[in-house]
Amino acid sequence: MSDPVARPPLRLVFVGHVDHGKSTLIGRLLHDTGSLPEGKLDEIRAVSARRGMPLEWSFVLDAFQAERDQAVTIDVTEIRFHTARRDYVIVDAPGHREFLRNTISGAAAADAAVLMVDAAEGLREQTRRHAYLLHLLGIAQVVVAVNKMDLVGRDPDRFRAVAEQAGRHLERLGIRPVAIVPVVAREGENLATPSQSMPWYGGELLVEALDRLAPPVPATTRPLRLPVQDVYKLGDKRVLVGRIESGLLRIGDELLFSPSGRRAQVASIESWGADPPPAEAVAGQSVGITLDRPIFVERGDIASDTAHPPDLASQFRLRLFWLAEAPLRLGQLLKLRRATSELVVTVEAIESVIDNETLAAAPAEMVGRDETAVVRLRARGLLAFDPVERDPAMARCALIDGYDTVGGGVIVSDAGRHGGATSLFTVEHLLTVEARAARNGHRGAVIWLTGLSGAGKSTLAMQAERELFARGYSVYVLDGDNVRRGLNADLGFGASDRAENIRRVGEVAGLFADAGTVVITAFISPYRADRDRARRVCPGLFHEVHVAANIETCERRDPKGLYRRARAGELADFTGISAPYEAPAAPELTIDTGTQPVEASVDELVRYIVDRTRLAAG
């Protein structure tokens, strides 16, 4: 028996076009390496004889009656085998296009892959699709088995042609094959023993190529990632539970919980029945922990060490594989599931659809079934993740429509602008908030006006600024004109640039408020996630004000003719017409400028600001 600590198994996924011989190769490989369970060979001989057919090695894995009847693999099967050098876990993924969901789930758990290619047929559409799935999931180690060499007379020229075809296709995906081996799986040729019928081949046997694959990087050496599965209340204790995906966890470690940014130290690692309780836990373990102080943590949060946080973004690029019959379309709402977190996302852009044959990327209006694409998504909230280049496992996610999984993919490295900073340190000001407020005669605040175009945000902001200034306030308005000409002059008007525009405004407004100024912002800012992010910059000083004129009122005003142009199709992504506006769920103040005159609206806003920024007596 192998020592599981000394010899961690390498997880192999076998993929390729249906009928190219994956299950046959696996069954014969298990036999030739002495890995078949006792009695299994006699069992498959008996099954094959009852069916009046030669010994069928695929029956080792095709455990379902439906598979034996149809001669196709429909589920993902895992089985162990070993060589003299290492242990393996085989993931046999189905080749038929109807079962691609299973292929993706099998490949997602693998460290390396064996790509099967029929010597007579060469690379088929499904072979190319599976190769792209390996690339999409970040699997860089691939061994190619060119099977059924007996059907081409074991011709070396045919092998070289297929090997060149497969190698060229994989290299265009950024995958350099570890080896390309000609085999006859049914006869066991070049699997664990050299083929006497292919003396022209002097390369590695399949098992030798597999043994040369780099071992998986131990999950304990990567930064800590603990997705929170649930929070239990046990007496006076709040226990956070989840499975450690990578890294080490020790009592006393300071944890950062993303996306909230809250921090706390590990007070204990709970273990039922263990005496004494453990002082540390490692990747692969499911744990319960308590913290040294009561902070709000919920399902979906990611616990990490403070020096290596995950990235955060509400907009990101996803390299995906679409599985649903109905195509993916621009503007579609879906649920994105990554680890234990779920967020509603909107498809903001379909940047390109990939041709599996040529690998050419072309812009498209939709993504059809079994197509791969690069899309840009916007989430209603911040997502904590690691891009695929850093940690493929933490980049993988699924797209859900209702109760159906309709796609899967990985978040790529240029996904968002809000990565976790690891080299920035807080420098405390020598002036306190109270000192600044005493000098100014009022507290600082961010008064965030949001509403449709034409609702009156800029009018309210400018008149309130004048009134407050007359009362001696340090006050300033941020609106599109004064930030787009300077701070944000580098940004366009696409969806991601608009979101970045709001993010920067939120950061600047927070600095104003921290300095003791009342800053009034006048931006449509249609998405709650963007406004919530601005609130998190200065949570105690942020005041969301909904300027709530309805769209009919705004269209009647329409001083710049924008609604008319949007209705005519001249303006794309116009809020309220061709793009959504997410009204505040619980604003601090709502002002309906459609039902009261401007003067009354200004008075209402100014009274609110004065009340909220007034210094306490004495």
Side-chain angles (χ1 to χ4, degrees):
M1 178 68 70
S2 300
D3 181 353
V5 176
R7 290 175 43 144
L10 184 84
R11 296 180 64 86
L12 280 175
V13 63
F14 283 67
V15 298
H17 189 82
V18 66
D19 292 333
H20 279 200
K22 296 187 306 301
S23 295
T24 299
L25 184 144
I26 294 170
R28 183 65 195 240
L29 183 64
L30 293 172
H31 172 267
D32 290 2
T33 57
S35 305
L36 276 181
E38 185 176 353
K40 178 60 73 172
L41 181 59
D42 292 337
E43 178 188 330
I44 62 173
R45 278 178 176 152
V47 172
S48 300
R50 285 199 302 269
R51 294 170 183 271
M53 59 193 307
L55 180 63
E56 182 54 66
W57 292 106
S58 66
F59 286 174
V60 173
L61 288 136
D62 294 343
F64 293 105
Q65 185 69 31
E67 293 176 343
R68 289 177 175 173
D69 291 342
Q70 300 175 38
V72 295
T73 303
I74 62 177
D75 201 358
V76 174
T77 305
E78 291 193 0
I79 194 166
R80 291 180 177 269
F81 84 100
H82 58 85
T83 65
R85 181 173 177 181
R86 64 151 56 115
D87 296 335
Y88 295 88
V89 173
I90 292 177
V91 183
D92 177 36
H96 199 281
R97 66 172 292 179
E98 298 300 323
F99 310 115
L100 278 171
R101 285 177 177 82
N102 294 345
T103 302
I104 294 172
S105 63
D111 304 307
V114 176
L115 179 65
M116 299 290 299
V117 183
D118 187 306
E121 296 186 355
L123 264 67
R124 297 287 300 276
E125 177 190 4
Q126 199 69 8
T127 318
R128 298 177 189 277
R129 185 174 289 121
H130 284 185
Y132 193 86
L133 283 176
L134 300 178
H135 160 68
L136 186 149
L137 293 170
I139 298 175
Q141 296 192 98
V142 178
V143 174
V144 180
V146 180
N147 191 27
K148 303 186 181 182
M149 285 296 298
D150 53 323
L151 298 185
V152 296
R154 296 175 174 82
D155 180 10
D157 291 336
R158 178 57 184 168
F159 167 70
R160 282 190 283 269
V162 174
E164 181 181 356
Q165 181 188 33
R168 185 169 59 248
H169 186 76
L170 288 172
E171 288 187 8
R172 288 164 64 193
L173 290 169
I175 301 172
R176 184 178 293 276
V178 174
I180 303 178
V181 185
V183 303
V184 181
R186 186 176 299 278
E187 307 302 328
E189 296 182 33
N190 286 338
L191 300 187
T193 56
S195 169
Q196 301 303 312
S197 303
M198 290 185 277
W200 45 266
Y201 176 69
E204 294 174 299
L205 301 176
L206 183 66
V207 295
E208 292 173 338
L210 297 180
D211 282 345
R212 197 159 55 84
L213 293 170
V217 177
T220 54
T221 65
R222 302 199 302 269
L224 174 68
R225 295 291 183 268
L226 170 57
V228 176
Q229 177 75 27
D230 211 338
V231 181
Y232 296 146
K233 188 77 163 57
L234 300 178
D236 295 332
K237 292 194 290 190
R238 294 177 71 248
V239 181
L240 283 55
V241 298
R243 182 180 185 274
I244 302 175
E245 298 297 329
S246 60
L248 302 170
L249 181 73
R250 297 183 178 91
I251 293 176
D253 286 350
E254 184 176 22
L255 300 183
L256 172 69
F257 291 90
S258 299
S260 68
R262 298 181 178 93
R263 300 183 182 217
Q265 289 186 347
V266 179
S268 70
I269 299 175
E270 300 295 309
S271 182
W272 289 265
D275 188 24
E280 68 175 27
V282 300
Q285 290 183 267
S286 294
V287 298
I289 63 172
T290 65
L291 304 176
D292 68 333
R293 51 187 176 273
I295 63 171
F296 180 72
V297 178
E298 60 184 333
R299 174 183 168 86
D301 285 357
I302 303 293
S304 68
D305 62 88
T306 56
H308 302 94
D311 288 353
L312 297 176
S314 57
Q315 309 93 40
F316 41 86
R317 294 175 72 226
L318 192 72
R319 206 161 59 213
L320 68 80
F321 194 91
W322 188 248
L323 296 166
E325 290 285 353
L328 175 70
R329 297 184 183 276
L330 197 65
Q332 190 167 343
L333 286 177
L334 297 165
K335 186 185 296 181
L336 182 135
R337 181 178 297 155
R338 203 215 57 73
T340 58
S341 65
E342 288 188 353
L343 286 173
V344 175
V345 295
T346 304
V347 181
E348 283 202 329
I350 300 172
E351 296 186 356
S352 59
V353 171
I354 313 300
D355 187 308
N356 284 323
E357 179 76 23
T358 65
L359 299 182
E365 296 297 321
M366 62 183 185
V367 184
R369 180 185 173 184
D370 296 346
E371 287 188 325
T372 51
V374 177
V375 300
R376 185 171 290 279
L377 303 177
R378 169 188 286 275
R380 294 182 179 177
L382 285 174
L383 179 71
F385 66 93
D386 290 284
V388 66
E389 293 81 0
R390 183 193 306 156
D391 187 342
M394 293 298 291
R396 293 168 186 164
C397 49
L399 293 173
I400 314 296
D401 187 8
Y403 297 100
D404 297 326
T405 300
V406 292
V410 292
I411 303 173
V412 295
S413 59
D414 57 346
R417 301 172 186 263
H418 319 303
T422 59
S423 59
L424 301 179
F425 302 90
T426 301
V427 178
E428 297 295 338
H429 286 278
L430 299 179
L431 296 176
T432 65
V433 170
E434 291 74 15
R436 296 179 191 276
R439 168 66 65 86
N440 292 333
H442 60 83
R443 296 190 176 279
V446 174
I447 310 299
W448 192 280
L449 306 188
T450 175
L452 294 170
S453 177
K457 299 180 299 299
S458 294
T459 300
L460 280 182
M462 295 304 180
Q463 294 199 26
E465 179 190 39
R466 183 177 61 185
E467 174 66 24
L468 290 167
F469 184 80
R471 298 184 183 205
Y473 271 67
S474 174
V475 58
Y476 192 75
V477 170
L478 293 176
D479 69 357
D481 287 340
N482 57 23
V483 299
R484 282 284 187 176
R485 291 174 182 170
L487 175 68
N488 294 344
D490 61 316
L491 298 178
F493 291 89
S496 59
D497 279 354
R498 287 178 178 177
E500 174 63 7
N501 180 57
I502 297 302
R503 186 192 73 83
R504 293 184 190 179
V505 169
E507 295 287 347
V508 171
L511 294 175
F512 266 92
D514 190 54
T517 295
V518 172
V519 57
I520 307 173
T521 72
F523 294 86
I524 295 172
S525 50
Y527 295 106
R528 293 192 190 103
D530 291 338
R531 302 193 299 267
D532 289 345
R533 186 169 59 215
R535 182 186 293 274
R536 285 193 289 270
V537 174
C538 50
L541 304 177
F542 188 92
H543 305 263
E544 188 176 33
V545 178
H546 185 199
V547 184
N550 60 36
I551 194 164
E552 292 78 16
T553 300
C554 296
E555 284 201 72
R556 283 198 304 272
R557 293 170 178 169
D558 201 12
K560 300 178 182 178
L562 299 179
Y563 283 96
R564 177 182 51 77
R565 293 176 59 195
R567 294 286 188 192
E570 298 174 12
L571 294 179
D573 298 328
F574 188 80
T575 302
I577 303 297
S578 53
Y581 176 75
E582 298 176 354
E588 278 76 13
L589 177 65
T590 298
I591 300 176
D592 189 347
T593 59
T595 59
Q596 65 181 2
V598 173
E599 294 78 8
S601 297
V602 173
D603 287 345
E604 186 177 2
L605 179 60
V606 169
R607 282 198 307 274
Y608 176 86
I609 295 172
V610 170
D611 287 345
R612 297 310 186 277
T613 60
R614 180 183 290 117
L615 296 182

